[in-house]
Amino acid sequence: MAKAPNGGTETKDEPDGGPPSPGGGPLGQAARALGMRTDGTIFFVSAGLMIVFLALVLLLPEPINDIFSAGRDWIVTNLGWFFILGVTTWLVFLAWVALSRYGNLRLGGDDSRPAYGNLSWFAMLFAGGIGTVLMFWGVAEPISHFANPPRAGVDPHSVQASQEAMNFSLYHLSLHTWAIFTLPGLAFGFFIYRYNLPLRVSSVFYPFLKYRIHGPIGKTIDIFAVLGTLFGLAVSLGLGTSQIAAGLEVLTPLPDDVTTRVLVISVLTAVAVGSIVAGLDKGVKRLSNINILMAIGLMIFVLLTGGELVFLLRQVFESLGRYLESIVGLSLWNDAMAGYTKDGGWGWQGGWTVFYWAWTVTWAPFMGVFLARISKGRTIRQFVGGVLLAPSAFTLVWFAIFGWSAMRIDGIGGDGGELTREVVDDKQVPLAMFEFFSNFPATTLIQGIAVVVVALFFATSSDSASLVVDMLCSGDEEAGPVRQRVFWGVSEGALAASLIVLGGDKALQALEQVITVIGLPIFVLAFLMVFCLLKGLRQERPAVYALQVKEMQRHLKQAEADSLAEEPAAGSADDTDTKS
C-alpha cells in the first residue's frame, strides 16, 4: 500500500507503492544461486570494477599512476575551492537544522526512544573519534605546519607558526571532519528510519527519485558509494600499515619497504578475516575497548611524563580559544593570493585540506551507517550536537597534548630539531610518532604499545568495515552470510596492498592521488544530500507542528496543575479571612 513519510509508524511498508524487485535479473539470480543475501547488481558490479582496478595496477602500474596524478592535479587546481566551500556549507547547514524547529524530530518514529543511554552513546562516539588517523597525524601534522607554515609571512618554528600549526590541525580533524560524517549519518537516520527504506546510500535520494532508487539510477549511486568506501578504507589501511612498518623498523631488523608493508597488510587482513569467520563480535568489541583505553593511556602518559603538565593543560583551553577565533577565516581560506605571495598555492592545500576532505568523504557511507544505527530514536538536535561536539572535543585534547609536546621538543623559537628533520626534510611522516616517543621514558615499551594500538585499530576497522560494505550492498541491517563479509575483508586488504605497490617508495603520495580522484564523485553525492534533507524536512512540517502542539499542551497541563496546587483549600485560614 502507498505510504507517506511515516512521522512515527514502524511498519515495513515501502514508500510510494513499493519498489520493483531489487534481486531480479541475471546478477540477482546468480547471487541467489550462490546462496548470497545481497543485491546481485550492486555486489557483482562493485566487485568487478574493483577487481579490474587491481588487475590494471598490477599490469600497468606506471600509466595508472600517471592517470591518477594528472586527475588529482586537475581537481586540486580547478575544484579545490569546491571541496573547501562544500564542507563549510555542510557545517553551517547542520548547525541550522539542529537549532531550527526540525531539531525535535526523531530519527525513527515520533514515539521511538534511543536504544543506548547517553553515556554508552558518547562512549561509542568517542570510539569513533580516535583511530589510525589521530595516531598517524597527532604529531606529524602540527610539526609539518610548524616547520613549513601554510601561509606566507609566518616564520618557521616561531610562536606564530606554532599557534597556526595547531589551528590548522584542529581545522582539519575536528568540526569540519565530523560534519562530513554527521551529514550522511543524519540523512541515513532520517530516511531509513522515518521512511523505512533500505540501508543504502540511494535511499537518501528518495525525495527526488521516489521508487527509482531501486532502479538503474539508484544502483549506480550505490555502486559509487561502495567503491568510494572501499578506496577510503584502503587509504586508511595504507596509512596505518606505513606507520606499523615504520615502527617495526625502529624496533626490529625489518626494513620499512614495500615488501614489509604488504606483509603487514596480509597478516592483519588475515586476523580480521579470522574474526569474521569465527564470529567473534563480542571479542572484537572487547578488543576495541581495550584499544581505546590503550590510546587514552598513551595520551595520559605523554601528559604526565613530558615535564610540561601545566603548559599542556593551559594549551588545551588556549588552543580552543584560538581555534574558535580563527574558524571562520580558515573555513573559507583557499590561498587565492598564492600566485602573488609565494609558490605552491594549491600545492599545499591540495596535499592537506583537499586531500583530507576527499579522503574523509569516502568514509562518509561507512561512518554514516555506524552513526545512524547507534542513534536511532534520538532527536536531530541531539544527534547533530553529540556527533559534532563529542569527538571534536577529544580531538582538541589529543592534539593539544601530542602536538604542543612535539613542538616544544622540536624547539619553539629555534631552528627545528629531529622531528622537523624526520617529518619535513626527510619526509618520513610515518616515523613521526616513534621519533616523538624517543624523548620519553621507557621508549622501546611505549613505541611497541603504539605499534600494537595502530595494528588493533587496523584489524577492528577492517572487520567492521566489511560488515558495513556488505550492508550497503544488501540494504539490510542484519549481517549477511560470512562468505560475503570475508570477500569484502580480503578485498579491502588487497586494495590497500595494491595502492602501496603502486606508490612504491612514494606510497603516501600515491594514496593522496587516488583518493582525491575517487573522492570527487562521492563528494558530489554528499553535497546533494543537503537538498534531499531539505526537501524531506519540509515534507515533515505536519509532524513538526504536531510536536509543537503536544509540547504546548504539555506546558498548559503543567501550568494548570501548578495553579490548582497553589489554590488554598476550602475553609482554610486565608479563605476565612477573605470572607470576613
Side-chain angles (χ1 to χ4, degrees), residues 105-437:
L105 287 174
R106 292 189 179 275
L107 303 182
D110 292 338
D111 296 327
S112 63
R113 290 296 179 266
Y116 303 99
N118 287 333
L119 197 58
S120 298
W121 186 60
F122 278 117
M124 284 184 279
L125 292 178
F126 175 73
I130 61 176
T132 55
V133 177
L134 290 184
M135 288 294 294
F136 191 89
W137 295 113
V139 169
E141 177 159 5
I143 285 295
S144 295
H145 306 330
F146 178 53
N148 185 21
R151 294 198 267 210
V154 179
D155 295 328
H157 304 108
S158 63
V159 171
Q160 184 182 1
S162 66
Q163 293 169 342
E164 289 220 346
M166 187 54 58
N167 285 343
F168 273 102
S169 298
L170 293 175
Y171 165 53
H172 283 152
L173 289 167
S174 55
L175 286 176
H176 279 71
T177 282
W178 282 92
I180 297 175
F181 296 149
T182 307
L183 177 64
L186 176 61
F188 272 123
F190 184 79
F191 288 107
I192 291 169
Y193 294 130
R194 287 190 74 84
Y195 284 59
N196 296 310
L197 292 166
L199 202 158
R200 294 197 186 105
V201 175
S202 58
S203 294
V204 175
F205 297 89
Y206 173 77
F208 294 102
L209 296 179
K210 301 301 181 184
Y211 66 87
R212 292 190 297 277
I213 62 173
H214 303 289
I217 297 176
K219 292 184 189 298
T220 300
I221 291 172
D222 292 322
I223 290 167
F224 268 113
V226 169
L227 290 173
T229 302
L230 287 171
F231 276 95
L233 292 167
V235 169
S236 297
L237 299 182
L239 292 176
T241 299
S242 298
Q243 193 171 32
I244 293 170
L248 290 176
E249 184 179 45
V250 172
L251 298 170
T252 70
L254 285 174
D256 180 9
D257 56 15
V258 173
T259 302
T260 300
R261 294 178 185 183
V262 171
L263 179 63
V264 169
I265 287 179
S266 301
V267 171
L268 293 179
T269 299
V271 172
V273 169
S275 70
I276 293 171
V277 172
L280 300 176
D281 289 339
K282 291 184 178 179
V284 171
K285 289 178 182 177
R286 292 193 187 101
L287 204 60
S288 299
N289 291 334
I290 294 171
N291 204 13
I292 294 164
L293 292 175
M294 290 174 68
I296 295 174
L298 284 176
M299 184 171 65
I300 295 173
F301 172 81
V302 171
L303 177 66
L304 297 179
T305 63
E308 301 290 348
L309 175 61
V310 175
F311 170 75
L312 294 178
L313 292 177
R314 292 171 64 186
Q315 282 295 354
V316 170
F317 298 103
E318 186 168 319
S319 296
L320 172 61
R322 290 187 180 278
Y323 167 61
L324 294 176
E325 183 181 34
S326 63
I327 189 171
V328 174
L330 289 176
S331 298
L332 298 174
W333 180 68
N334 58 79
D335 211 3
M337 299 300 292
Y340 298 93
T341 57
K342 64 172 184 172
D343 294 331
W346 278 113
W348 183 88
Q349 283 204 314
W352 286 99
T353 309
V354 178
F355 163 65
Y356 269 138
W357 298 165
W359 171 28
T360 306
V361 82
T362 58
W363 271 70
F366 170 46
M367 285 298 298
V369 169
F370 167 71
L371 295 173
R373 289 190 71 195
I374 67 172
S375 304
K376 183 179 180 181
R378 293 195 175 273
T379 66
I380 289 176
R381 186 171 295 119
Q382 290 172 340
F383 176 82
V384 173
V387 177
L388 280 180
L389 298 180
S392 296
F394 181 79
T395 300
L396 167 70
V397 176
W398 183 275
F399 268 113
I401 292 175
F402 279 90
W404 279 111
S405 293
M407 289 187 285
R408 281 296 295 263
I409 289 170
D410 215 43
I412 298 175
D415 297 324
E418 193 63 23
L419 284 170
T420 292
R421 187 187 68 77
E422 290 281 1
V423 176
V424 180
D425 297 341
D426 296 344
K427 301 187 184 303
Q428 296 293 325
V429 177
L431 275 173
M433 184 68 77
F434 302 104
E435 179 61 37
F436 170 74
F437 282 132

Side-chain angles (χ1 to χ4, degrees), residues 83-105:
F83 282 88
I84 292 171
L85 178 63
V87 178
T88 298
T89 301
W90 302 350
L91 182 58
V92 173
F93 169 74
L94 289 167
W96 170 78
V97 170
L99 296 174
S100 73
R101 62 180 182 272
Y102 301 118
N104 290 324
L105 287 174

